[in-house]
Amino acid sequence: MDADQPNSQQLNPAALTPADAARLLTAASGLFVAADMVQAAIDAGAPVLADGRLNLVELMAWMEKDLAEKPRLADGQV
């Protein structure tokens, strides 16, 4: 492929659809991430662009903050 020709398969990490974000997170983590899981994060307040797309860095920062704010069980508690 010629480097001057855009690849229609390229993703812009600053503007991903929920489905593209799910595919990218699945590939990067080795864990399955479904588009509805990404949509659930959006519904819970994850930041989105005006067109509904996601910035991957902002999504990951939101997820990290969200996880850090959740109460954790002490060792041995269920």
Side-chain angles (χ1 to χ4, degrees), residues 1-9:
M1 174 180 280
D2 187 344
D4 293 330
Q5 293 180 353
N7 180 350
S8 63
Q9 296 292 344

Side-chain angles (χ1 to χ4, degrees), residues 11 15-25 53:
L11 296 177
L16 297 169
T17 65
D20 286 339
R23 282 192 294 276
L24 187 59
L25 291 169
R53 292 178 184 260

Side-chain angles (χ1 to χ4, degrees), residues 12-39:
N12 178 357
L16 297 169
T17 65
D20 286 339
R23 282 192 294 276
L24 187 59
L25 291 169
T26 295
S29 71
L31 302 171
F32 178 72
V33 178
D36 62 341
M37 296 165 78
V38 176
Q39 186 60 52

